[in-house]
Amino acid sequence: MRIIWKWACYQVAEAAAESHQQSSEMAGKHEAALYATLAGHLAKILPVCQTRADFLWAHSRCWLEAQVDKQLAASQDQDDSDLHAAVSVGLDAVASNRHAQPEEEVHSIVLDDVTAFWPPSRLTDALPDSFEAVLQAAHKAAEHQPDSGMEHWQMQQDIIQQDFAPLLARFVEAEDDQAAQGNAPQSATGDKQRAARLRVGAHLALALCYLPVEVPGPQDKLHIRSQEEVDEDTDLDGQDLNKSDDLPLQDSVNQLLQQYVMHLIQTEQHELVPIYACHMRQNVRRTTYASYFHSLTQRDMADCRAVYQSAWESFTRWPRGDINGETELDDIVEQVMGESFWAMGKGPNQWAATLRWLAFSDSTLPLAAKEANRALRLLSLGGDPAVMAGCSHAFQALKQSSDLHTALEDEGQLTTLVASRPDIRRDCIELFVWYQFYQLAGLYTAFCDMCDDSSLDDDSALQELYSLGQQYINGALTLCGNNALASIWGEQDTAFQQESSSHEVKIWAAPAVTADSQAEAQQGDSYNTVADQQMADFVTSVQASAASCCVPGIDVQVQKADDNMEGGMALVTVHIDHAQYDMGREVQCLNAIVKGDVPLQVIRMTGPDLVLGALASMAACPYVLLRAAELRQVLLEMTKQGEIGADLGDKIIPLVSGTESDKHTGLMYFFTQQELQQLLEYERLTDLSLMARTLQS
């Protein structure tokens, strides 16, 4: 009966199509398509198809009907004469209703069709021979359609055929094309479509990884290799030794997840970021998270802590083989600090603020203290305005650690901390010294601001100014008089000189920040740079400063820094020969280069940690004591007899020169010739003020 029914539908479709050709009525075309669908008659369906989906459905429907009929025909007994007779009678009855067709011709058609059973060749010849061919035929039939839906069409074909590699690649390419367009304005609908595509791509990637979905290749399911597996499968030239078919899928999976995570970051869906990031391969996950942390560094501290906590919870909860929940974030923030160190175009504030990511966990406390000291050393070599801005960001970040916060504010707490954590003893002691240095810099800035803004004829204002100056001078004498800056490195001096081999110190530098520098440099949002046309003169002046202080065993070369590293600065390379090595001479030479005729803002510096610490100390002592001498002279000049003691700051010169019996106890070797001349000039002006008082009295 199925054959009779389908033959009847075929006849009605033919008749309706012929009627449409004669009358051009649209109803006839659609009626023909309706019955042609039931009969599997593709030629009469295509005229009403309008979209790619229509063409695909038409080809698929007819091909499927033909396959069913073939299977049914194969299961029937071809010699069953009773069935043959019944079908013949039925077809004769249907055919007799056709108009103006001789009975002999109708009978011939019926017998031909019955002989081969259904479907007749006139229908099957028009159909593709496989489902893959169905998709190709449908695509070809729809070539005249607009390209707007081509992306979805191709993805649908990949899903139908379970061809996952090109499917994932299409998701990746679609987002790459979007990124290539830059920040072109998007409609609200376009934004939603992009978000939906990214979400579907990410979930498809996860489904292929974790569901028992068969994929092409030697494995039953897609396996995301861990970083260890990637390293094991990579030769010395970086070529992948594992050539299995699923590697393109693995790359696409990581790309899709990374694209979706970046979308979540850009749209500030922070709570979802770690949920997807923890499924990435280790190197991709860490690189993405490092970029994420960099983008948040200037945000509110509470927001950063919340993001850090959310990541920690997800990483400790997810049982992935390449995620150690206790150390994953430690490794990520260490990578963040490493990248931030070499991001020379960002300014000292950005680098100092990045320290916050190390202060959210006790496990990164040693690294926090070490990296903070590295940052604060360079800030002390940056010029007056930059010191306060960068130090402020650094200590604001460090105080996110309750242990460091209390230790910086209370020397007793510092003693307790270093006693309980011997692994951070030296770094914490140095950090405490830099905190005192920062506090003094703040007092000096407040003193200068008050001199500019206040009416000093007002006794109360003058008294407050005197109080600020006195605090600074006494603090400077305490800091330098205790030799705290020197003690943070001097205790290891002998061991270093005995064990050290020949080494290099590299300094990336620009002119020091002054009141005439650009506002961004003064505020710490950028570094000073040198214009290309001025670079040759700058390099020459730095080379001259180096030549004036070089001694045997120390070779200095100055050149323009590689533009690939960062443009607009010079690179000073100091090579030290251990055979003639003396650490004091090395540090004095470096100090003279930094404070030469053209003082430098040291942007980055590499070399032995002990040498770098000694250089920062040698730069910081004169910085503190010169300002103490300056404030002493200003106060004596501004105040009247009896309002300020003549002994205020009178210990500055003896502290620098040392005792008469032992000049080596002084700090003179911390000073360059120019700094000593400046100190003596302040002392001369102070003596003149005291002499004037004596004469007035």
Side-chain angles (χ1 to χ4, degrees):
M1 297 304 295
R2 173 183 170 85
I3 297 176
I4 298 175
W5 171 72
K6 299 200 73 171
W7 176 258
C9 292
Y10 171 79
Q11 297 294 337
V12 174
E14 287 287 326
E18 186 175 347
S19 173
H20 166 68
Q21 291 177 353
Q22 295 177 358
S23 64
S24 298
E25 293 182 359
M26 293 299 296
K29 182 172 69 172
H30 286 87
E31 182 182 8
L34 174 63
Y35 284 98
T37 300
L38 299 175
H41 192 354
L42 180 63
K44 302 306 179 185
I45 305 176
L46 293 179
V48 299
C49 294
Q50 297 182 346
T51 67
R52 286 188 173 85
D54 292 342
F55 285 106
L56 178 59
W57 182 86
H59 282 80
S60 301
R61 166 83 187 197
C62 293
W63 177 82
L64 183 60
E65 287 291 326
Q67 296 304 308
V68 171
D69 288 333
K70 286 181 179 180
Q71 291 298 319
L72 290 175
S75 64
Q76 298 291 336
D77 183 1
Q78 300 293 328
D79 297 328
D80 191 337
S81 57
D82 294 337
L83 175 62
H84 188 283
V87 170
S88 297
V89 172
L91 292 177
D92 281 339
V94 174
S96 64
N97 293 323
R98 294 292 306 276
H99 61 285
Q101 187 167 21
E103 181 177 350
E104 294 79 12
E105 185 175 346
V106 172
H107 184 69
S108 174
I109 293 173
V110 171
L111 291 180
D112 288 344
D113 289 327
V114 170
T115 301
F117 289 93
W118 185 270
S121 60
R122 68 192 72 174
L123 297 186
T124 57
D125 290 347
L127 296 175
D129 57 0
S130 67
F131 187 69
E132 288 73 16
V134 167
L135 296 174
Q136 295 175 4
H139 175 68
K140 184 175 181 180
E143 285 181 339
H144 65 282
Q145 298 297 315
D147 292 336
S148 58
M150 180 59 69
E151 176 187 345
H152 292 159
W153 167 266
Q154 292 172 331
M155 289 180 176
Q156 288 171 353
Q157 288 190 78
D158 294 336
I159 293 174
I160 292 171
Q161 294 177 283
Q162 297 186 23
D163 200 354
F164 297 117
L167 173 61
L168 295 180
R170 294 188 204 283
F171 278 96
V172 173
E173 291 169 1
E175 183 60 18
D176 288 344
D177 292 342
Q178 181 77 35
Q181 297 175 9
N183 295 321
Q186 295 284 324
S187 65
T189 302
D191 289 340
K192 290 181 179 179
Q193 290 177 344
R194 174 174 175 264
R197 183 184 66 244
L198 289 170
R199 183 168 58 252
V200 169
H203 290 163
L204 176 63
L206 292 175
L208 291 176
C209 294
Y210 297 110
L211 296 180
V213 178
E214 292 186 359
V215 298
Q219 298 175 329
D220 291 335
K221 63 186 287 292
L222 180 61
H223 165 64
I224 301 183
R225 292 185 299 171
S226 67
Q227 188 62 38
E228 289 74 13
E229 291 173 309
V230 173
D231 294 339
E232 289 174 1
D233 293 336
T234 303
D235 63 17
L236 296 178
D237 297 325
Q239 300 297 318
D240 203 318
L241 302 176
N242 188 342
K243 300 300 182 182
S244 62
D245 295 337
D246 69 331
L247 290 185
L249 283 174
Q250 293 201 24
D251 293 338
S252 296
V253 164
N254 278 281
Q255 285 181 281
L256 283 172
L257 290 173
Q258 186 178 35
Q259 288 175 348
Y260 187 51
V261 166
M262 294 305 297
H263 166 73
L264 295 175
I265 293 172
Q266 292 165 4
T267 54
E268 300 195 5
Q269 301 181 63
H270 302 298
E271 69 282 358
L272 296 178
V273 171
I275 296 176
Y276 291 89
C278 64
H279 300 289
M280 296 177 181
R281 187 185 296 156
Q282 184 185 85
N283 61 329
V284 180
R285 178 178 63 252
R286 291 182 177 177
T287 299
T288 303
Y289 241 93
S291 175
Y292 183 27
F293 283 174
H294 283 305
S295 70
L296 293 174
T297 295
Q298 296 294 347
R299 296 281 290 270
D300 183 77
M301 198 70 72
D303 293 341
C304 294
R305 183 180 287 277
V307 167
Y308 184 95
Q309 184 65 25
S310 176
W312 186 87
E313 292 173 355
S314 291
F315 292 157
T316 53
R317 183 171 59 242
W318 188 254
R320 276 287 303 280
D322 64 350
I323 294 182
N324 184 331
E326 299 300 325
T327 62
E328 179 67 17
L329 268 180
D330 295 354
D331 294 331
I332 290 174
V333 296
E334 185 173 358
Q335 179 174 332
V336 169
M337 290 308 303
E339 293 173 354
S340 184
F341 178 81
W342 292 110
M344 299 185 188
K346 299 293 186 180
N349 288 351
Q350 177 76 13
W351 182 31
T354 306
L355 291 167
R356 68 184 62 191
W357 299 110
L358 296 172
F360 294 142
S361 171
D362 288 341
S363 61
T364 52
L365 195 59
L367 184 60
K370 186 177 184 63
E371 288 294 321
N373 284 327
R374 180 160 70 158
L376 292 164
R377 290 170 183 174
L378 295 187
L379 288 169
S380 70
L381 302 172
D384 291 350
V387 170
M388 279 300 297
C391 286
S392 176
H393 281 81
F395 285 111
Q396 182 185 11
L398 289 175
K399 288 182 179 180
Q400 299 307 305
S401 166
S402 58
D403 286 342
L404 287 180
H405 190 179
T406 55
L408 292 174
E409 298 287 353
D410 185 343
E411 191 169 2
Q413 293 292 332
L414 172 67
T415 303
T416 302
L417 176 61
V418 298
S420 62
R421 297 288 300 270
D423 57 323
I424 59 174
R425 174 184 173 276
R426 182 178 177 276
D427 285 321
C428 281
I429 292 175
E430 180 180 356
L431 198 57
F432 181 73
V433 172
W434 287 121
Y435 187 65
Q436 292 176 295
F437 172 82
Y438 162 69
Q439 297 287 78
L440 288 175
L443 288 173
Y444 178 80
T445 300
F447 183 93
C448 295
D449 291 343
M450 193 169 183
C451 286
D452 294 336
D453 299 338
S454 298
S455 172
L456 298 180
D457 294 332
D458 184 347
D459 290 342
S460 62
L462 192 60
Q463 185 63 35
E464 185 178 352
L465 185 69
Y466 171 71
S467 177
L468 285 173
Q470 186 179 41
Q471 289 181 60
Y472 184 95
I473 294 170
N474 291 334
L477 290 171
T478 300
L479 181 64
C480 297
N482 292 338
N483 213 16
L485 286 167
S487 67
I488 61 179
W489 57 270
E491 62 185 41
Q492 301 184 37
D493 187 357
T494 303
F496 177 78
Q497 295 196 71
Q498 292 175 350
E499 298 174 4
S500 176
S501 60
S502 300
H503 60 267
E504 280 188 344
V505 174
K506 290 189 175 183
I507 300 173
W508 288 264
V513 179
T514 66
D516 297 327
S517 301
Q518 294 183 350
E520 291 82 359
Q522 293 189 47
Q523 296 165 4
D525 293 329
S526 68
Y527 290 105
N528 257 354
T529 54
V530 183
D532 289 340
Q533 58 270 26
Q534 299 173 339
M535 180 58 71
D537 292 339
F538 177 61
V539 169
T540 300
S541 63
V542 176
Q543 186 71 61
S545 297
S548 65
C549 65
C550 279
V551 295
I554 298 179
D555 177 60
V556 181
Q557 296 180 351
V558 185
Q559 63 190 47
K560 180 186 176 186
D562 188 352
D563 287 336
N564 292 331
M565 177 66 70
E566 192 65 41
M569 63 184 68
L571 171 61
V572 182
T573 304
V574 183
H575 179 78
I576 292 89
D577 183 0
H578 183 62
Q580 307 178 59
Y581 183 67
D582 179 86
M583 181 176 173
R585 289 193 303 173
E586 176 188 359
V587 176
Q588 282 183 309
C589 179
L590 293 171
N591 189 42
I593 294 172
V594 171
K595 300 177 180 178
D597 294 334
V598 179
L600 302 181
Q601 178 186 26
V602 177
I603 296 172
R604 293 293 184 268
M605 185 165 55
T606 61
D609 184 70
L610 192 60
V611 173
L612 304 187
L615 173 60
S617 301
M618 187 167 279
C621 271
Y623 179 94
V624 170
L625 292 176
L626 281 172
R627 278 142 192 80
E630 177 190 5
L631 266 57
R632 180 191 182 211
Q633 184 268 321
V634 170
L635 287 174
L636 286 172
E637 185 177 300
M638 294 173 58
T639 56
K640 301 176 183 178
Q641 180 74 18
E643 291 180 342
I644 182 171
D647 61 344
L648 177 64
D650 61 353
K651 295 183 177 63
I652 296 176
I653 293 298
L655 180 62
V656 174
S657 62
T659 63
E660 292 185 4
S661 60
D662 187 2
K663 297 296 183 182
H664 293 290
T665 60
L667 300 176
M668 187 179 297
Y669 68 96
F670 279 48
F671 286 71
T672 63
Q673 190 65 35
Q674 296 94 323
E675 288 172 333
L676 284 174
Q677 291 174 355
Q678 187 178 2
L679 179 63
L680 292 175
E681 178 63 18
Y682 285 137
E683 185 65 16
R684 186 184 69 83
L685 293 174
T686 298
D687 288 343
L688 290 175
S689 296
L690 291 173
M691 290 173 60
R693 286 188 174 194
T694 302
L695 292 175
Q696 290 174 2
S697 62

